Amino acid sequence: MSTSQARRGNTRQRIQDVALELFSEHGYDKTSLREIAEKLDVTKAALYYHFKTKEDIVVSLFHDLGKPCDELIVWAEGQPRTLETKKEVLSRYSEALRSAEPLFRFMQENQAAVRDLSIGETFKQRMLTLFGLLREPDTELADQVRCITALFSMHAGMFAMQNLEGDPEDKRKAILEVATELVTAANPPHRRPARPDSAQTDSP
Amino acid sequence: MSTSQARRGNTRQRIQDVALELFSEHGYDKTSLREIAEKLDVTKAALYYHFKTKEDIVVSLFHDLGKPCDELIVWAEGQPRTLETKKEVLSRYSEALRSAEPLFRFMQENQAAVRDLSIGETFKQRMLTLFGLLREPDTELADQVRCITALFSMHAGMFAMQNLEGDPEDKRKAILEVATELVTAANPPHRRPARPDSAQTDSP
Amino acid sequence: MSTSQARRGNTRQRIQDVALELFSEHGYDKTSLREIAEKLDVTKAALYYHFKTKEDIVVSLFHDLGKPCDELIVWAEGQPRTLETKKEVLSRYSEALRSAEPLFRFMQENQAAVRDLSIGETFKQRMLTLFGLLREPDTELADQVRCITALFSMHAGMFAMQNLEGDPEDKRKAILEVATELVTAANPPHRRPARPDSAQTDSP
Amino acid sequence: MSTSQARRGNTRQRIQDVALELFSEHGYDKTSLREIAEKLDVTKAALYYHFKTKEDIVVSLFHDLGKPCDELIVWAEGQPRTLETKKEVLSRYSEALRSAEPLFRFMQENQAAVRDLSIGETFKQRMLTLFGLLREPDTELADQVRCITALFSMHAGMFAMQNLEGDPEDKRKAILEVATELVTAANPPHRRPARPDSAQTDSP
DNA sequence: AATGAATGAGCGTTCATTCAT
DNA sequence: GATGAATGAACGCTCATTCAT
């Protein structure tokens, strides 16, 4: 506890924090372990005491911060496949994204780099699973697009709208609102017995 | 001139083709000039005869393949700011994207890397300009989200839907349909008649 | 031709020379590419222009300097399997070893390191082939030992006797003499005429 | 004390065992303390509790397992310098080698690495001493070669013959037989008054 | 008797880039 | 229009070693 940074057990955590910050700011490939180490005032070798490889740091971040998403999926898979459930999925997903914003910004902006990391495939599968939870099978293409767009807008929106004015929380809600609209529109109302003449056009 | 090489004159073009292919496949940072040169069966130094730097290759690609987008913008800025115009912008943009798919895939998946290339800012401005063409100023947040989502879904959709079945052209049309819907919804025509004193409609 | 070392086409050769010298002096693992580069007054990267990897340097040395051995084997395989041939093999091998002494010293003293280089297996096979040329099949164990010892004494002898006094050429001849004796003893000629019913002699 | 670890007191011994195994299998330089520690399921720091340095592990192995050799030398130096004694030296040395086979394989295959360990010189001196016990001073070069070859064949033979068929013990005896022959031949029988027509002289 | 945390030096390798020819 | 040869900087990673606990 004498030197500048107390040698407590928080180093691993600090590495994760700094790494995520730099990864999401400068990109995965452009962020070197030297940079991370320097910012932490430790040596590169210290990073290797805590993580086997550079990739391993990302993997750990993905596991630690991505947990809410996986939990959401587990929960959703136990629910009935109703529109209500889908709306709840979107709502919870929106919150999961908020809680791990830098991670998702990183995944979003470094897709090419992430693709050949071990988590690349995992992430892709997760997205497909989520997509599977939202869409109705055997609907028309446009409905599938609506679901995918809903999902992607939640990811992209967060960063694409960064240069817009406004309270982040308001933006998040607006994004969620639009996503909900899209998924609602993608849920074939014509099957619903009560409204026989709905042609999915006037989706309010 | 018999074998695969020796086609004079078109080397610059061939470099662009191969570079774009590799950039969009493996990512910008992971693609080395050595790889490009090897695939072309020329030396690295040859690349430097045609392009000042690695970045310069990307810049040239962006300029050559991005021209339709800029032309679209120029055209749109001379049009009245009607819903019809906006629909036309979406339609044309969709075609521009199709004609330069690998470039946009590259831009989409390498945002972090592109960000500190000289075209990074240019690209961002272009997106903001397009956004400016679609949105109505001073509308509620959700409408802005709709416009951004429309734009982004056209980008992301192309790649996100790659693992879905179906004819690419059908998918493109479906995406365009949804995007058009979103922009239409963001353009509150129904409000205009009822509220004759609305201040935010006919902003030049 | 202005700087200290004329930039002629001999760099590759110079790398091989210096590398072999250092490899055989300090060992393969202890010799770093930095050392080699510094001794040549070039950068490490220059080594990589000429050789793909550190291992590749060794491979090239083995191929270039080991050629006489392979030629010897080719020659011997076209000869009748007589004692005279075997003596000639030893004699020529002795000269091949002399002409590439540092390489063989290196191979001898870095067996563990060489083992997981690509040439490790190649070298082993070469030795087994030579052994196959010297020995009579189906003779008693001691005769096989004599042949192996003959071979090994030529390798080891050169370096084991380095700290002994005397002219190297004299030593080489003495080693060859002993090796010849051993192979002769392993070739049981005296048994053939006197004992026509001997079991292990006339194996084709 | 139930699981594999927890056998107190013998850790030092276990380190030696594992270290020797890995050193002789992968080579000295290629074997890291991490590997050794992992195989033992202890930390690297634990190795440092028992041994000052990596080199120190080798030194301890050399001292512990090389004892029979040193005892052999002490014994031999108290004997008359007769052929019988020399034969006995060979025989005992052969057994000493067998009892510490991995150590000698290690020394044999890592000569370059061993050379700049502190035991390098010690080992060399031991070999020279043994050589001094076998050779007759002032004999011709070829006789000296015979003695060195005898010694080396016992080392090298053990590993060179590993890929040959046959019972290890049989091989060892065959090697010993040849070595004895060589030393006998190196012992000038022409000086012995009783046998003027010795058989193995006319070897030119 | 052993660990957890860290270091400093160095490694093999790759990269974008340069320049004389 | 292109090459051969080289550079300087950096990279991810591993190593033997240390030391307070």
Side-chain angles (χ1 to χ4, degrees), chain C residues 90 131 134-135 139-153 178-188 191, chain D residues 149 153 161 174-175 177-182:
Chain C
L90 289 177
F131 174 55
L134 294 179
R135 79 167 193 191
T139 51
E140 46 176 288
L141 248 184
D143 282 336
Q144 314 235 34
V145 170
R146 282 183 189 95
C147 292
I148 284 196
T149 298
L151 231 39
F152 262 71
S153 71
V178 173
T180 306
E181 247 173 56
L182 281 162
V183 167
T184 303
N187 251 53
R191 295 182 194 153
Chain D
T149 298
S153 71
M161 298 189 71
I175 291 170
E177 181 190 333
V178 172
T180 306
E181 249 174 53
L182 280 162

Side-chain angles (χ1 to χ4, degrees), chain C residues 103-160:
Chain C
L103 174 66
F104 284 97
R105 183 180 168 207
F106 162 67
M107 304 286 297
Q108 170 77 13
E109 298 188 339
N110 290 271
Q111 286 175 71
V114 162
R115 206 185 308 147
D116 41 39
L117 263 37
S118 72
I119 54 163
E121 189 59 20
T122 309
F123 183 64
K124 189 173 159 186
Q125 291 309 322
R126 189 200 268 166
M127 293 306 291
L128 286 175
T129 304
L130 278 171
F131 174 55
L133 288 169
L134 294 179
R135 79 167 193 191
E136 286 298 302
D138 308 320
T139 51
E140 46 176 288
L141 248 184
D143 282 336
Q144 314 235 34
V145 170
R146 282 183 189 95
C147 292
I148 284 196
T149 298
L151 231 39
F152 262 71
S153 71
M154 297 178 84
H155 285 239
M158 296 171 73
F159 320 117

Side-chain angles (χ1 to χ4, degrees), chain B residues 59-171:
Chain B
V59 170
S60 84
L61 285 167
F62 185 74
H63 272 63
D64 294 4
L65 296 175
K67 194 156 292 179
C69 287
D70 289 327
E71 288 167 358
L72 163 57
I73 287 175
V74 167
W75 171 85
E77 279 171 340
Q79 298 300 114
R81 194 192 206 70
T82 66
L83 180 55
E84 280 326 294
T85 299
K86 292 175 184 177
K87 286 180 177 173
E88 186 68 21
V89 165
L90 289 177
S91 171
R92 294 194 184 199
Y93 193 55
S94 178
E95 260 147 38
L97 285 179
R98 176 182 50 184
S99 74
E101 203 192 296
L103 174 67
F104 284 98
R105 184 181 170 205
F106 161 69
M107 304 287 296
Q108 170 78 11
E109 298 188 340
N110 290 271
Q111 286 175 71
V114 163
R115 204 184 309 145
D116 42 38
L117 262 36
S118 71
I119 55 163
E121 189 58 22
T122 310
F123 183 65
K124 189 172 160 187
Q125 290 310 322
R126 188 200 269 166
M127 292 307 289
L128 286 175
T129 304
L130 277 170
F131 174 55
L133 288 169
L134 294 179
R135 80 168 192 190
E136 287 297 304
D138 308 318
T139 51
E140 45 176 289
L141 249 184
D143 283 335
Q144 315 235 31
V145 169
R146 283 184 188 90
C147 292
I148 284 197
T149 298
L151 230 37
F152 262 73
S153 71
M154 297 180 83
H155 286 239
M158 296 171 73
F159 320 115
M161 296 188 74
Q162 261 175 344
N163 12 14
L164 252 59
E165 82 300 342
D167 175 50
E169 191 55 19
D170 287 349
K171 288 191 229 165

Side-chain angles (χ1 to χ4, degrees), chain C residues 161 170 173-175 177-178 181, chain D residues 139-147 149 186:
Chain C
M161 296 187 72
D170 287 347
K173 281 181 185 150
I175 292 171
E177 182 190 330
V178 173
E181 247 173 56
Chain D
T139 52
E140 46 174 289
L141 247 183
D143 282 337
Q144 314 236 33
V145 170
R146 282 184 189 92
C147 292
T149 298

Side-chain angles (χ1 to χ4, degrees), chain D residues 103-176:
Chain D
L103 174 66
F104 284 98
R105 183 180 169 206
F106 162 67
M107 304 286 298
Q108 169 77 12
E109 298 188 340
N110 291 272
Q111 286 174 72
V114 163
R115 205 185 308 145
D116 43 36
L117 262 37
S118 71
I119 55 162
E121 188 60 21
T122 310
F123 183 64
K124 188 172 160 185
Q125 290 310 323
R126 189 201 267 166
M127 293 305 291
L128 286 175
T129 305
L130 277 170
F131 174 55
L133 288 170
L134 294 178
R135 80 168 192 191
E136 285 298 301
D138 309 319
T139 52
E140 46 174 289
L141 247 183
D143 282 337
Q144 314 236 33
V145 170
R146 282 184 189 92
C147 292
I148 284 196
T149 298
L151 230 38
F152 262 72
S153 71
M154 297 180 83
H155 286 240
M158 297 171 72
F159 320 115
M161 298 189 71
Q162 261 175 343
N163 15 10
L164 254 57
E165 82 300 343
D167 175 50
E169 191 55 18
D170 287 348
K171 289 193 228 164
R172 190 184 67 84
K173 282 182 186 150
I175 291 170
L176 176 56

Side-chain angles (χ1 to χ4, degrees), chain A:
Chain A
M1 64 182 91
S2 52
T3 49
S4 58
Q5 297 282 358
R7 268 113 168 76
R8 282 204 319 284
N10 61 340
T11 301
R12 194 189 140 96
Q13 169 78 20
R14 288 171 62 225
I15 293 172
Q16 285 184 314
D17 292 349
V18 167
L20 181 50
E21 181 189 336
L22 294 178
F23 286 160
S24 96
E25 200 166 326
H26 308 321
Y28 179 75
D29 292 301
K30 282 269 176 58
T31 302
S32 71
L33 297 186
R34 178 183 51 71
E35 269 180 280
I36 298 175
E38 266 169 19
K39 191 150 188 174
L40 284 166
D41 210 46
V42 296
T43 58
K44 273 191 288 175
L47 305 185
Y48 279 91
Y49 176 77
H50 295 281
F51 298 94
K52 279 206 315 286
T53 62
K54 184 185 182 184
E55 172 166 358
D56 201 38
I57 300 180
V58 173
V59 171
S60 84
L61 286 167
F62 185 75
H63 270 62
D64 293 4
L65 297 175
K67 195 157 289 178
C69 288
D70 289 325
E71 288 168 358
L72 162 56
I73 286 174
V74 167
W75 171 85
E77 279 171 341
Q79 300 299 115
R81 195 195 204 69
T82 66
L83 180 55
E84 280 327 293
T85 298
K86 291 174 184 176
K87 287 179 178 174
E88 185 70 20
V89 165
L90 289 177
S91 169
R92 294 193 185 200
Y93 192 55
S94 177
E95 260 147 38
L97 286 179
R98 178 183 48 184
S99 74
E101 203 192 296
L103 175 66
F104 284 98
R105 184 180 168 206
F106 162 68
M107 304 286 297
Q108 170 77 12
E109 299 188 337
N110 292 270
Q111 286 175 72
V114 163
R115 205 185 307 146
D116 41 40
L117 261 37
S118 72
I119 54 161
E121 188 59 22
T122 309
F123 183 65
K124 188 174 160 186
Q125 290 310 321
R126 189 199 270 166
M127 292 307 290
L128 287 175
T129 304
L130 277 170
F131 174 55
L133 288 170
L134 294 179
R135 79 167 194 192
E136 285 297 302
D138 310 318
T139 52
E140 46 176 288
L141 248 184
D143 282 336
Q144 315 237 31
V145 170
R146 283 183 189 92
C147 292
I148 283 196
T149 298
L151 231 37
F152 263 72
S153 70
M154 297 180 83
H155 285 241
M158 296 172 73
F159 320 116
M161 296 189 72
Q162 262 175 344
N163 13 12
L164 254 58
E165 82 301 341
D167 175 49
E169 191 55 18
D170 287 347
K171 290 192 229 163
R172 189 183 69 84
K173 281 183 186 148
I175 291 171
L176 176 56
E177 181 190 332
V178 173
T180 305
E181 250 173 53
L182 282 162
V183 167
T184 303
N187 250 53
H190 50 280
R191 292 191 193 148
R192 275 177 261 165
R195 305 214 329 244
D197 58 320
S198 75
Q200 94 249 27
T201 29
D202 43 15
S203 56

Side-chain angles (χ1 to χ4, degrees), chain D residues 12 14 29 33 66 70 79 113 128 194:
Chain D
R12 193 189 141 95
R14 287 170 63 225
D29 292 301
L33 295 187
D70 289 326
Q79 298 300 114
L128 286 175

